[in-house]
Amino acid sequence: MGSKVGEFRKKLKIVDVKGGPNEGLDRVGLMIVVAGWVRTLRAQSSVTFIEVNDGSCLSNMQCVMTSDAEGYDQVKSGLITTGASIWIQGNVVPSQGSKQKVELKVNKIVLVGKSDPSYPIQKKRVSREFLRTKAHLRPRTNTFGAVARVRNALAYATHKFFQENGFIWISSPIITASDCEGAGEQFCVTTLDFFEKPAFLTVSGQLNAETYATALSNVYTFGPTFRAENSNTSRHLAEFWMIEPELAFADLKDDMACATAYLQYVVRYILDNCKEDMDFFNTWIEKGIIDRLSTVAERDFVQLSYTDAIELLIKAKKKFEFLVKWGCDLQSEHERYLTEEAFGGCPVIVSDYPKEIKAFYMRQNDDGRTVAAMDMLVPRIGELIGGSQREERLEYLEGRLDELKLNRDSYWWYLDLRHYGSVPHAGFGLGFERLVQFATGVENIRDAIPFPRTPGSVEF
Amino acid sequence: MGSKVGEFRKKLKIVDVKGGPNEGLDRVGLMIVVAGWVRTLRAQSSVTFIEVNDGSCLSNMQCVMTSDAEGYDQVKSGLITTGASIWIQGNVVPSQGSKQKVELKVNKIVLVGKSDPSYPIQKKRVSREFLRTKAHLRPRTNTFGAVARVRNALAYATHKFFQENGFIWISSPIITASDCEGAGEQFCVTTLDFFEKPAFLTVSGQLNAETYATALSNVYTFGPTFRAENSNTSRHLAEFWMIEPELAFADLKDDMACATAYLQYVVRYILDNCKEDMDFFNTWIEKGIIDRLSTVAERDFVQLSYTDAIELLIKAKKKFEFLVKWGCDLQSEHERYLTEEAFGGCPVIVSDYPKEIKAFYMRQNDDGRTVAAMDMLVPRIGELIGGSQREERLEYLEGRLDELKLNRDSYWWYLDLRHYGSVPHAGFGLGFERLVQFATGVENIRDAIPFPRTPGSVEF
């Protein structure tokens, strides 16, 4: 009674064999075990080729088998088909084929779990629309496996960037009685009268992050947020992840510099660490994406005021669907024109927007009509980041709440931050799935998150 | 028009000055700027001492000022009080006092934001109960600042551990139509008929994680989960963060080894990286916590079966409130007895529980009455981690659903994983706030999360 628990050892994955600089040639001669799922099986007269994938990287392990391999009868009898899980022992040998440097010469194969003939992800290409109805199986495709790995890398790079720069991760609450934007439709949470007052799903952790920033200086949130907007587009999710840093003793310039450094860091990170997946996107999803991202990682971003942006759009030779006029919000077509055409693919930061089109908490500029807001626009996506310096002056903030007929009492704790040691502070919000779209080229935001929630869609 | 954005540079924080191995002595002679909040101010006849904190570490910067410093009139007139935010320029000098190695000789002080006399966090000690009503200001206290930093370190260490071991972070959905545990009370989400069917807040991301594990091999979730249990205890939250790794081609032994390695990694990480905060907890919150955690980081964990655990509890000289009997779940008192008394403070992993007290998805053992489940018990907390090998055999899983009168159709996608290339797999769940309690010694789980949600409490 009371035995000891053995050491945790990572099992060998395909990426450990083929992921090195010489794509596995240094492993030649080793006897290894690979466990994964069959992508394809080709039986020729004397030899059978099985492509096995374990999700650790895009590459399959090509396994070559002759009739003397142990377990060959399972192959011969047709039990091992696409989608089946197998366990293969073999020797790493140089590959005869041109697609890979090494392959596995099989000594032994074990069928772990067979795959029904109804397996919906056969070799022939299936549409991404169809795959959304199979969200539980789509990570077994090249595209969704790659998206999952790059999404993971972007998340980890996000944590690395902020941790290396002294930011503290804060979990802002999901269930809340507040409405940060004072506008967005919120989901209501009910279970009898559990909370004894109306409770909603958060639209942003910013107000909460401000309370921690004004104690710990620099913080960030990374968690799910919600919008009950009934918009069935390729750009909107009802549930999405947000990254919201908040910097104390900082102004809009610091905020823009932080957003720039952040984006360049995470883009550089995936270019350096997800080469195989990025090559796949570059070939199959969006030609030129690697060049586009390299530009972002290397170039200085352009910065101009909203007023200048409006002037530039008015002078543009392009016909826009929506009106360009000082006081109106920029539409996606305007944003994309600025970053894609006016500044040739370079991210553009537009600042100092009219106060009427921005949230109550943004700091009023001295001109009395604009606020210290900034949006970062990037090619293909338009607005990727939205930020601002926050109004740290109590009288201005209260005045703005009154103007917008928002109830001061609901914001008592937020106003308290201006009663007790208020400081200039600033932050921004970034929708993580937009970043995944930007970094992978997938067109529909529903393909940038494992289990998308949209109007009418809550399956899985 | 179109200027360039400047470089993001981290501003100097107190931790950058005092956080080094010689506590700032290498900075002596440097002129620096510190920005933060006044913790205390002591005016003596010829010299004034101001303790400033910026949240970057537990330590304040002691600032020493004489009447020739610029801005001294603001000090003299009483404008600068506890809670005010200030900006101080000065020279780092060796400290006369015994509490710190260096202090700041002030050249210039600027009041950034004054603090109302009503500031609730004055020097005198305030209760943690009171501070829960001031959740927006409590991170400005030593205890909650330290908890926030250690919580952050635990989160980052979690990501580091899994990333270094080849796990992919997956975001499991928050809004869901499924009920993983088939038991827990769930919060309902409503907004007209947005999702066209009943929608709830997730109680666990495990079933979703299994879909990705059976494609990518090793994955983990780290996100919020919810329980609508109406229990007003110091151990329960309605909203809490969970970490749920899932390992493909793995059994219960692999699962236990992973859980052990994970816990030892994160505990070692905070002992190495949060020394000042851990010393604070050791002195003020739980004497001996550093020894307790060092034991966990270094010792082999004990492993025994549920059946053996019951036998051991029956033989124990201790009187328990709850019945000890094969078939009954272990209560907190039993769990703590095992880890704290029977095995002297060493974590204990209990495995192979009766199937009747465990969830439907756990793998049935050959004895027909137990399942391949494991709970990791640690001192002070009891159950910190709960995991299992999952039932990968379709017929057993369907049989169990039927026995429990759960509807097979609701689990169609979960069953699909057993139709197509099923593999042995295992995982566990860890309540992050329990880990924070375990690592900091704070007694009430409401003090282990920035904004706790409990029955009747949804403020902030």
Side-chain angles (χ1 to χ4, degrees):
Chain A
M1 199 155 75
S3 66
K4 285 174 182 177
V5 177
E7 198 192 337
F8 171 64
R9 226 178 315 220
K10 195 182 142 186
K11 293 182 183 175
L12 195 74
K13 299 291 175 198
I14 294 173
V15 72
D16 301 319
V17 180
K18 296 181 69 177
N22 58 11
E23 297 171 43
L25 282 176
D26 54 327
R27 312 286 171 146
V28 166
L30 285 183
M31 161 93 76
I32 63 166
V33 167
V34 166
W37 292 266
V38 174
R39 284 289 176 89
T40 61
L41 185 146
R42 269 182 305 134
Q44 295 182 348
S45 55
S46 63
V47 63
T48 300
F49 295 92
I50 305 182
E51 297 275 341
V52 183
N53 190 281
D54 66 6
S56 66
C57 58
L58 188 84
S59 287
N60 302 322
M61 179 63 84
Q62 172 158 292
C63 302
V64 186
M65 196 179 336
T66 47
S67 58
D68 55 343
E70 198 182 327
Y72 178 73
D73 50 319
Q74 292 180 314
V75 179
K76 203 179 164 196
S77 62
L79 275 174
I80 296 178
T81 59
T82 299
S85 50
I86 55 173
W87 185 99
I88 288 186
Q89 192 185 57
N91 286 91
V92 181
V93 297
S95 177
Q96 308 296 315
S98 60
K99 284 193 187 159
Q100 60 273 317
K101 291 275 200 301
V102 298
E103 60 191 26
L104 207 63
K105 190 175 171 342
V106 180
N107 300 321
K108 184 177 174 184
I109 181 168
V110 177
L111 171 64
V112 177
K114 65 186 171 51
S115 179
D116 270 12
S118 62
Y119 188 53
I121 305 177
Q122 301 292 340
K123 206 197 167 182
K124 66 178 185 316
R125 280 199 167 207
V126 285
S127 77
R128 272 179 240 154
E129 218 144 35
F130 171 76
L131 287 173
R132 270 172 231 143
T133 69
K134 307 285 177 198
H136 60 309
L137 299 175
R138 65 179 185 171
R140 301 186 189 186
T141 64
N142 280 338
T143 300
F144 286 94
V147 169
R149 284 184 297 271
V150 170
R151 182 181 164 96
N152 169 66
L154 288 168
Y156 189 47
T158 295
H159 288 294
K160 276 178 76 77
F161 173 81
F162 287 115
Q163 297 289 334
E164 288 167 8
N165 284 291
F167 288 66
I168 304 278
W169 174 73
I170 296 298
S171 47
S172 49
I174 309 303
I175 302 175
T176 178
S178 322
D179 180 358
C180 173
E181 300 293 329
E185 274 209 70
Q186 287 185 292
F187 287 106
C188 188
V189 177
T190 58
T191 293
L192 310 165
D193 291 324
F194 192 93
F195 293 115
E196 294 164 20
K197 63 162 82 175
F200 306 92
L201 296 186
T202 188
V203 297
S204 160
Q206 178 201 313
L207 306 193
N208 300 90
E210 284 186 53
T211 71
Y212 269 70
T214 53
L216 306 177
S217 292
N218 290 341
V219 302
Y220 69 110
T221 73
F222 188 177
T225 54
F226 306 84
R227 298 281 159 92
E229 274 178 279
N230 206 330
S231 39
N232 237 321
T233 79
S234 63
R235 293 167 45 86
H236 292 91
L237 290 168
E239 173 180 315
F240 56 100
W241 286 66
M242 279 245 278
I243 294 155
E244 299 185 282
E246 191 72 30
L247 297 74
F249 296 100
D251 60 17
L252 193 66
K253 272 213 155 69
D254 296 314
D255 201 34
M256 292 190 286
C258 180
T260 303
Y262 165 73
L263 186 63
Q264 293 191 318
Y265 183 97
V266 297
V267 165
R268 171 55 51 208
Y269 188 87
I270 57 163
L271 289 174
D272 290 347
N273 292 281
C274 306
K275 282 187 202 293
E276 189 188 29
D277 290 321
M278 294 310 300
D279 283 340
F280 173 82
F281 294 131
N282 205 44
T283 308
W284 297 102
I285 306 290
E286 183 195 337
K287 295 220 187 308
I289 190 171
I290 290 180
D291 285 345
R292 176 163 70 68
L293 293 175
S294 302
T295 301
V296 170
E298 284 153 22
R299 277 178 62 176
D300 290 323
F301 291 9
V302 171
Q303 198 258 308
L304 77 170
S305 71
Y306 166 88
T307 303
D308 287 345
I310 290 291
E311 199 174 310
L312 196 152
L313 288 165
I314 286 172
K315 285 188 189 149
K317 294 226 162 60
K318 184 146 184 159
K319 275 225 162 166
F320 296 111
E321 188 186 341
F322 290 92
L323 184 69
V324 176
K325 193 184 154 194
W326 202 99
C328 296
D329 211 353
L330 299 183
Q331 300 296 321
S332 190
E333 57 173 346
H334 308 137
E335 294 172 341
R336 293 187 58 176
Y337 172 80
L338 288 171
T339 172
E340 292 173 4
E341 301 185 42
F343 294 102
C346 184
V348 173
I349 304 179
V350 178
S351 67
D352 303 296
Y353 283 76
K355 71 176 179 181
E356 279 71 23
I357 58 172
K358 289 290 181 183
F360 74 92
Y361 51 71
M362 298 191 180
R363 192 181 198 272
Q364 289 182 52
N365 287 329
D366 292 341
D367 63 14
R369 54 182 213 149
T370 62
V371 289
M374 64 99 176
D375 281 358
M376 185 186 289
L377 318 177
V378 298
R380 285 196 68 248
I381 304 293
E383 184 199 325
L384 179 65
I385 287 176
S388 68
Q389 186 170 342
R390 320 307 189 185
E391 185 56 82
E392 88 281 14
R393 298 162 299 182
L394 183 62
E395 61 281 15
Y396 283 82
L397 186 58
E398 288 182 336
R400 198 76 187 113
L401 285 172
D402 294 348
E403 273 174 39
L404 295 169
K405 300 197 171 28
L406 293 167
N407 184 356
R408 285 189 192 189
D409 291 346
S410 329
Y411 294 94
W412 69 271
W413 54 272
Y414 189 67
L415 293 170
D416 258 10
L417 304 181
R418 281 75 183 167
H419 279 288
Y420 307 120
S422 191
V423 296
H425 61 293
F428 62 84
L430 172 140
F432 186 56
E433 284 71 25
R434 292 249 172 109
L435 178 64
V436 174
Q437 284 186 283
F438 177 66
T440 62
V442 298
E443 276 169 21
N444 196 314
I445 200 163
R446 294 164 202 213
D447 298 333
I449 189 167
F451 302 95
R453 269 67 180 109
T454 53
S457 170
V458 69
E459 190 76 87
F460 307 107
Chain B
M1 199 155 78
S3 64
K4 286 174 180 176
V5 178
E7 199 193 337
F8 171 63
R9 226 178 315 223
K10 195 180 142 185
K11 292 181 184 177
L12 195 75
K13 299 290 174 200
I14 293 173
V15 71
D16 301 318
V17 181
K18 296 180 70 177
N22 57 11
E23 296 171 44
L25 283 175
D26 54 326
R27 311 288 171 145
V28 166
L30 284 185
M31 161 93 76
I32 63 165
V33 167
V34 165
W37 292 267
V38 174
R39 283 290 175 88
T40 61
L41 184 148
R42 271 180 306 130
Q44 295 181 349
S45 54
S46 64
V47 63
T48 300
F49 294 91
I50 305 182
E51 297 273 344
V52 183
N53 189 281
D54 66 4
S56 66
C57 57
L58 189 84
S59 288
N60 302 324
M61 178 63 81
Q62 172 158 290
C63 302
V64 187
M65 197 179 336
T66 48
S67 58
D68 55 346
E70 198 182 324
Y72 179 72
D73 51 318
Q74 292 180 314
V75 178
K76 205 179 164 196
S77 61
L79 274 174
I80 296 178
T81 59
T82 299
S85 51
I86 56 173
W87 185 99
I88 288 185
Q89 190 185 58
N91 287 90
V92 180
V93 297
S95 176
Q96 308 295 314
S98 60
K99 284 194 187 159
Q100 60 275 316
K101 291 275 198 304
V102 298
E103 60 192 25
L104 207 64
K105 190 175 171 340
V106 180
N107 299 322
K108 185 178 172 183
I109 181 167
V110 177
L111 172 63
V112 177
K114 65 187 172 51
S115 179
D116 270 13
S118 61
Y119 187 55
I121 305 176
Q122 301 292 340
K123 207 196 165 180
K124 65 178 188 316
R125 278 203 171 202
V126 284
S127 78
R128 269 176 244 155
E129 217 144 35
F130 171 75
L131 287 174
R132 271 171 231 144
T133 69
K134 308 285 177 198
H136 60 310
L137 298 175
R138 66 178 185 171
R140 301 186 188 187
T141 64
N142 280 337
T143 300
F144 287 93
V147 169
R149 284 184 297 271
V150 171
R151 182 181 165 95
N152 170 66
L154 288 167
Y156 190 47
T158 296
H159 287 295
K160 276 176 76 77
F161 173 80
F162 287 115
Q163 297 289 335
E164 288 167 7
N165 284 290
F167 287 66
I168 305 278
W169 174 72
I170 296 298
S171 46
S172 49
I174 310 304
I175 303 174
T176 178
S178 323
D179 180 358
C180 173
E181 299 294 329
E185 273 209 71
Q186 287 186 291
F187 288 106
C188 189
V189 177
T190 57
T191 293
L192 312 164
D193 292 322
F194 193 93
F195 293 116
E196 294 163 18
K197 63 161 84 175
F200 307 93
L201 296 185
T202 186
V203 298
S204 160
Q206 178 201 313
L207 305 195
N208 301 92
E210 285 184 54
T211 71
Y212 269 69
T214 50
L216 305 177
S217 293
N218 290 342
V219 302
Y220 69 110
T221 73
F222 187 0
T225 54
F226 306 83
R227 299 280 159 94
E229 274 179 278
N230 207 330
S231 40
N232 237 322
T233 79
S234 63
R235 294 167 45 85
H236 292 91
L237 291 168
E239 174 181 314
F240 56 100
W241 286 66
M242 280 246 278
I243 294 154
E244 299 184 282
E246 191 72 30
L247 297 74
F249 296 101
D251 61 17
L252 193 66
K253 272 214 153 72
D254 296 314
D255 201 34
M256 293 191 285
C258 180
T260 302
Y262 165 74
L263 186 63
Q264 293 191 321
Y265 183 96
V266 298
V267 165
R268 172 54 52 209
Y269 188 87
I270 58 164
L271 290 173
D272 289 346
N273 292 281
C274 306
K275 282 186 202 296
E276 190 188 28
D277 290 321
M278 292 312 299
D279 283 341
F280 173 84
F281 294 130
N282 205 43
T283 308
W284 297 103
I285 305 290
E286 184 195 335
K287 294 216 190 311
I289 189 171
I290 290 180
D291 285 345
R292 177 163 70 69
L293 293 176
S294 302
T295 300
V296 170
E298 284 154 21
R299 276 178 62 178
D300 289 323
F301 292 9
V302 172
Q303 196 259 308
L304 77 171
S305 71
Y306 167 88
T307 302
D308 288 345
I310 290 292
E311 200 175 310
L312 197 152
L313 288 166
I314 286 172
K315 285 188 189 146
K317 295 230 161 57
K318 184 146 185 158
K319 273 226 164 167
F320 296 111
E321 189 186 339
F322 291 91
L323 183 70
V324 176
K325 191 184 156 196
W326 202 98
C328 296
D329 211 353
L330 298 182
Q331 300 296 320
S332 191
E333 57 173 346
H334 309 137
E335 295 173 340
R336 294 187 57 176
Y337 171 81
L338 289 171
T339 172
E340 292 173 6
E341 300 185 43
F343 295 101
C346 184
V348 174
I349 304 179
V350 178
S351 67
D352 304 297
Y353 284 76
K355 71 175 179 180
E356 278 72 22
I357 59 171
K358 289 289 180 185
F360 74 90
Y361 50 73
M362 298 188 180
R363 192 179 199 276
Q364 290 183 52
N365 288 328
D366 292 341
D367 62 15
R369 55 184 213 149
T370 62
V371 288
M374 66 100 175
D375 281 357
M376 185 187 287
L377 318 177
V378 297
R380 285 197 68 252
I381 303 293
E383 184 199 326
L384 179 65
I385 287 176
S388 67
Q389 184 170 343
R390 321 308 187 184
E391 185 56 82
E392 89 280 14
R393 298 163 298 182
L394 183 63
E395 62 281 14
Y396 283 83
L397 186 58
E398 288 182 335
R400 197 76 187 113
L401 285 172
D402 294 347
E403 272 174 41
L404 296 167
K405 298 197 175 26
L406 292 166
N407 184 355
R408 285 189 192 189
D409 291 346
S410 329
Y411 295 94
W412 70 270
W413 53 273
Y414 189 66
L415 294 171
D416 257 11
L417 304 180
R418 282 75 182 167
H419 279 288
Y420 308 118
S422 191
V423 297
H425 60 294
F428 63 84
L430 172 140
F432 186 57
E433 284 69 26
R434 293 248 172 110
L435 178 65
V436 174
Q437 285 185 282
F438 177 66
T440 62
V442 298
E443 277 169 19
N444 196 314
I445 200 164
R446 293 163 204 216
D447 299 332
I449 189 168
F451 302 94
R453 268 69 180 108
T454 53
S457 172
V458 68
E459 190 75 87
F460 307 106

